Amino acid sequence: MLGALSWSFQEADSDRVDSLLEALLADSGADRALLIDRTGQLIAAADAAATTDATAFASLAAADFAANEQLAGLVGARDFSSLYHQGSRQSLYLAGVAGRAILALVFGRAVTLGMVRIKVRRALPPLEALFQEVFTRPQDRGDDRLTAGWANEVEVEIDRLFDGV
Amino acid sequence: MSMINYASREINCKIVYYGPGLGGKTTNLEYVYEKVAPSTRGKLISLATESERTLFFDFLPVDLGTIRGFKTRFHLYTVPGQVYYNASRKLILKGVDGVVFVADSHPARLDANSESMDNLYHNLAEHDFDLRELPFVIQFNKRDLPDALSVANMNAALNPTAVPAFEAVATRGVGVFDTLKAISKQVIKSLS
Ligand SMILES: Nc1nc2c(ncn2[C@@H]2O[C@H](COP(=O)(O)OP(=O)(O)OP(=O)(O)O)[C@@H](O)[C@H]2O)c(=O)[nH]1
Ligand SMILES: [Mg+2]
């Protein structure tokens, strides 16, 4: 949701997500699994052969998912939760995770949609549990790794990058 | 709602260029794309109509590199300015960390500027977000027009709280990076 506090992903969260995505890939035979924040940012990716631009992919997938959710709402489909694009070689399946993220699977012709659905349905509960934890735990505001010193250095870098152009 | 990923040590900030149709939002991103080093930016994605009006959004990731161990990145988005694309505009505002309002200096666009500013305010408010608490700058674009409204007039109409405002000619790049620098610094300050 807009206006929510920043949230943070810790080392341990990331390890859990990575192993869940790896397991999903192995289990489903898909080529690529990505976890994307609803605002369009990539959270994690697992892939057999990473060829696509993950940053672009994440932003487009989030927009696509959001637009389709609204479309579904317009025609009264209140339980919109997943989206499927069929391609001639590769297909794409997107599923919402805990209202905060999107799980995207890219898969080839050898894998059926039915299989993907089943495997995703099984992968969702542990992912959703993890997101519940991330969003309900107290914010790590005391964590001073993002200090004023960091901000100053970023500002210097902003000047360096944008001044000379 | 920027995402700080302590595991991959990444910080991604979302900056949205808002404003009336044909004001020059897409032109700002195109100029940034052309001018920054290719190693610094990703692909520019434009979801536009055949006549190059933004239909859904433009998207350009800009990479500041790794600073104190954190890979720091800005995600620049534009919204479609045309009034009837409001549903799309709301979607793009999701998770915004900072807003650039690109105003059109043409006198005939004064109402369109004001309407778009109201629309921004409302779209944010609908999600319990207050424009006054968000990193926010205004760009007065198209200063090259012979009959451009005076900056004083534009400030009076669009900038009651006196947020930083920059004059620009986006087609020639004038003011584009001043604007981007100002909003990105505000966003960084808001995070630390
Ligand atoms: N004279 C002048 N024209 C400009 C300037 N900046 C942009 N334009 C022109 O204005 C037109 C619209 O620019 P865009 O960048 O597509 O506008 P936009 O705000 O993205 O419009 P929408 O996508 O419809 O919301 C283009 O023909 C630009 O070349 C400027 O500084 N001066
Ligand atoms: Mg545009």
Side-chain angles (χ1 to χ4, degrees):
Chain A
M1 208 184 78
L2 234 142
L5 286 170
S6 309
W7 54 283
S8 59
F9 228 58
Q10 308 290 346
E11 219 93 32
D13 305 326
S14 189
D15 291 347
R16 270 166 76 187
V17 167
D18 286 345
S19 55
L20 285 167
L21 292 186
E22 297 288 354
L24 177 58
L25 271 194
D27 207 21
S28 65
D31 298 318
R32 197 145 206 238
L34 300 96
L35 192 64
I36 300 158
D37 175 90
R38 290 287 304 251
T39 71
Q41 298 170 18
L42 184 70
I43 299 170
D47 32 38
T51 46
T52 33
D53 177 339
T55 309
F57 186 101
S59 121
L60 288 168
D64 185 27
F65 195 82
N68 274 280
E69 187 177 50
Q70 299 283 312
L71 273 176
L74 286 180
V75 297
R78 294 271 158 232
D79 52 353
F80 175 84
S81 64
S82 68
L83 184 61
Y84 170 54
H85 294 290
Q86 184 175 22
S88 58
R89 288 216 211 107
Q90 296 262 289
S91 296
L92 176 60
Y93 185 78
L94 303 176
V97 182
R100 300 303 294 251
I102 298 157
L103 175 61
L105 273 197
V106 181
F107 54 99
R109 279 195 304 202
V111 181
T112 65
L113 173 61
M115 178 60 80
V116 165
R117 278 220 174 91
I118 291 170
K119 300 300 180 186
V120 166
R121 201 176 302 145
R122 280 192 204 144
L124 282 178
L127 275 175
E128 300 201 318
L130 184 136
F131 272 89
Q132 288 313 334
E133 273 176 49
V134 168
F135 288 115
T136 50
R137 80 176 155 225
Q139 268 303 299
D140 209 353
R141 260 339 228 176
D143 190 323
D144 59 2
R145 279 178 285 184
L146 287 186
T147 55
W150 170 81
N152 290 339
E153 261 180 57
V154 175
E155 287 196 21
V156 169
E157 192 57 25
I158 288 171
D159 286 334
R160 199 187 66 76
L161 273 179
F162 298 160
D163 265 348
V165 291
Chain B
M1 201 190 80
S2 58
M3 181 182 72
I4 302 172
N5 193 328
Y6 285 109
S8 58
R9 305 188 73 76
E10 272 182 36
I11 300 167
N12 292 308
C13 308
K14 182 172 188 174
I15 294 174
V16 175
Y17 285 70
Y18 212 91
L22 296 178
K25 300 176 293 295
T26 298
T27 309
N28 266 269
L29 257 63
E30 287 171 343
Y31 190 79
V32 173
Y33 177 82
E34 277 165 31
K35 289 298 170 187
V36 299
S39 56
T40 300
R41 46 105 172 123
K43 250 197 285 247
L44 173 62
I45 289 174
S46 290
L47 303 186
T49 66
E50 263 163 46
S51 57
E52 307 210 334
R53 303 296 299 271
T54 303
L55 179 62
F56 200 171
F57 60 85
D58 305 296
F59 169 68
L60 177 66
V62 177
D63 219 319
L64 291 188
T66 301
I67 295 161
R68 294 211 175 181
F70 281 92
K71 206 167 159 53
T72 306
R73 206 184 276 132
F74 292 108
H75 287 180
L76 310 183
Y77 282 84
T78 73
V79 300
Q82 295 181 83
V83 173
Y84 46 82
Y85 291 139
N86 198 42
S88 308
R89 271 195 295 280
K90 275 191 217 169
L91 294 182
I92 302 308
L93 281 176
K94 198 179 186 94
V96 65
D97 294 299
V99 177
V100 173
F101 187 91
V102 179
D104 191 326
S105 299
H106 195 286
R109 298 298 282 165
L110 186 57
D111 284 349
N113 289 329
S114 301
E115 273 167 33
S116 177
M117 189 68 90
D118 282 351
N119 175 256
L120 168 61
Y121 196 85
H122 279 109
N123 280 343
L124 287 171
E126 229 176 73
H127 301 279
D128 300 323
F129 224 57
D130 190 338
L131 188 52
R132 286 164 298 193
E133 289 162 11
L134 197 68
F136 180 45
V137 305
I138 300 180
Q139 180 184 81
F140 300 137
N141 190 32
K142 305 197 186 180
R143 298 310 298 166
D144 58 323
L145 294 178
D147 50 351
L149 279 176
S150 75
V151 167
N153 275 340
M154 294 192 74
N155 266 316
L158 301 170
N159 195 9
T161 56
V163 301
F166 300 88
E167 295 186 55
V169 184
T171 36
R172 300 207 297 262
V174 177
V176 167
F177 280 100
D178 293 333
T179 309
L180 179 56
K181 270 164 60 177
I183 190 65
S184 39
K185 286 182 183 180
Q186 274 195 36
V187 167
I188 291 304
K189 280 214 180 72
S190 75
L191 286 180
S192 63

